[in-house]
Amino acid sequence: MSGRQLERVRAICLAMPEASERLSHGEPTFFVGKRVFVMFANNHHDDGRVAVWLPVPPGLQETLIASAPQTYFRPPYVGHRGWVGIELDEVSDDDLRFHIQVAWELVAPKRLLSN
Amino acid sequence: MSYYDDPDNVAGYIAMAEGYDGRELVAALRRYLKDGAAVLELGMGPGKDLAMLGEHYEATGSDISAVFVDRYRRTHPEADLLVLDARTLETDRRFDAIYSNKVLQHLTRDEVRESFQRQAAVLNRSGLALHTFWRGEGEEIFSGLLNVYYTEEQLRALAADSFEVIELRRYAEMDEDDSLLLLMRRKPAPGGQPS
């Protein structure tokens, strides 16, 4: 299950310009330059979720969690900075792709955004 | 079965993790601590940072979890390991430096203060401590695990009784300036007596 979800996330993330994958906190993590735009979180600290953590625009975290609490949650370490967790079993491909695209745009160097 | 119970996934982890994670932290320690010194790691987990420390130092790994310690011992029978609570550090051993990477945030602020006092007690004269924390305000419990966030001012206050801060700087682990590196030196024993 988690392997299939990782491949799903990896395919979207690595299609983004200059994206790369390394491990952080024991989880596959996707970078543009030196900055993280998506972290795969497989049952992190036994929370029972197969999820991604990623940044969203300011203020959107609360809205997403309130509107679909079965899908969106506040992750540790970066939740207080406005990032959101997304339960992969609960999110459509289109929505996942949209969130990853936005996350990449939030952290990508300006030279990439202008292309 | 967890993702990293699969040998193929573990092999992938090792390959991808090469040259990453704690290496920059060990480099920071090496600017102040000579190779060959005795270093204790708190909260060693799977032992990744411990292996990096062992490239330069006489490294001793420790964790409150005997599972982690036993697991590492099975694959590294020569390793020097202790089951140790970072709050109380109940050991007669002495070290030149103590190291932890995103471990002490799982203690309460009072427990970190207690840990710093105990660390000073098990460090040799002018011993060093290097720890990393998540930067921010407040605390939260995620999946039953406490995470406490710190500002520079809070860490300076916690360290003040037992340590002189040498380096305290922000760095990025997942997001810009989301982390703090604290490097400090043990203050002389009360009364100026060397110990």
Side-chain angles (χ1 to χ4, degrees):
Chain A
M1 175 61 79
S2 62
R4 184 181 64 80
Q5 292 290 14
L6 174 57
E7 289 308 316
R8 181 182 175 212
V9 170
R10 181 177 279 147
I12 301 172
C13 288
L14 293 183
M16 304 304 298
E18 298 192 16
S20 62
E21 178 181 348
R22 298 200 298 267
L23 283 192
S24 182
H25 299 269
E27 305 278 15
T29 303
F30 298 90
F31 293 73
V32 53
K34 292 184 176 180
R35 299 188 63 185
V36 175
F37 67 100
V38 172
M39 187 177 108
F40 186 77
N42 179 23
N43 195 25
H44 192 86
H45 288 316
D46 294 323
D47 72 345
R49 296 183 173 109
V50 179
V52 289
W53 303 351
L54 46 72
V56 294
L60 190 59
Q61 180 201 60
E62 296 84 351
T63 303
L64 290 170
I65 294 172
S67 65
Q70 75 281 10
T71 305
Y72 301 100
F73 63 96
R74 180 182 158 121
Y77 320 134
V78 285
H80 69 113
R81 304 174 70 91
W83 288 41
V84 73
I86 305 174
E87 185 116 28
L88 289 165
D89 280 343
E90 301 289 337
V91 69
S92 69
D93 285 344
D94 284 348
D95 285 355
L96 179 61
R97 193 181 311 279
F98 171 77
H99 286 303
I100 290 175
Q101 169 79 39
V102 171
W104 181 90
E105 291 173 359
L106 285 171
V107 304
K110 287 180 180 175
R111 65 178 174 78
L112 292 179
L113 296 175
S114 60
N115 291 336
Chain B
M1 187 173 80
S2 76
Y3 184 74
Y4 290 111
D5 286 337
D6 183 329
D8 289 341
N9 291 339
V10 170
Y13 177 107
I14 293 168
M16 283 196 291
E18 186 68 28
Y20 191 60
D21 275 352
R23 201 162 293 272
E24 290 182 18
L25 307 178
V26 175
L29 184 61
R30 291 188 71 209
R31 287 198 287 273
Y32 298 90
L33 188 67
K34 290 181 179 177
D35 284 9
V39 178
L40 170 68
E41 181 182 8
L42 304 178
M44 60 179 281
K48 194 159 166 302
D49 287 30
L50 181 66
M52 294 179 197
L53 288 167
E55 293 173 9
H56 307 285
Y57 299 118
E58 295 296 325
T60 300
S62 77
D63 205 290
I64 194 172
S65 164
V67 174
F68 270 130
V69 171
D70 290 343
R71 183 183 174 118
Y72 194 79
R73 184 172 281 130
R74 280 200 296 274
T75 53
H76 300 78
E78 77 293 352
D80 182 22
L81 305 174
L82 301 171
V83 176
L84 208 55
D85 186 332
R87 293 167 292 193
T88 54
L89 295 178
E90 294 177 3
T91 177
D92 295 332
R93 304 267 305 270
R94 293 293 178 269
F95 300 91
D96 299 313
I98 296 175
Y99 170 102
S100 77
N101 185 7
K102 297 287 175 62
V103 169
L104 300 184
Q105 83 260 9
H106 298 309
L107 306 183
T108 67
R109 295 177 200 277
D110 285 343
E111 288 170 339
V112 169
R113 187 187 305 278
E114 177 189 359
S115 178
F116 281 178
Q117 291 168 353
R118 282 296 302 151
Q119 288 178 41
V122 302
L123 280 170
N124 292 322
R125 188 181 182 192
S126 302
L128 300 171
L130 186 154
H131 303 292
T132 62
F133 298 85
W134 291 104
R135 189 175 74 86
E137 301 276 0
E139 59 188 58
E140 64 190 0
I141 294 176
F142 180 82
S143 195
L145 198 58
L146 175 68
N147 288 310
V148 180
Y149 298 89
Y150 287 93
T151 64
E152 286 94 332
E153 293 74 19
Q154 290 167 342
L155 287 179
R156 284 187 188 280
L158 282 174
D161 288 345
S162 310
F163 288 96
E164 166 201 359
V165 174
I166 299 172
E167 191 171 330
L168 178 54
R169 62 177 164 87
R170 300 176 182 184
Y171 68 99
E173 184 149 329
M174 293 180 63
D175 199 10
E176 188 173 14
D177 290 342
D178 63 359
S179 299
L180 291 171
L181 182 153
L182 172 64
L183 179 59
M184 49 194 187
R185 188 184 307 281
R186 202 196 85 165
K187 286 182 175 177
Q193 297 299 312
S195 59

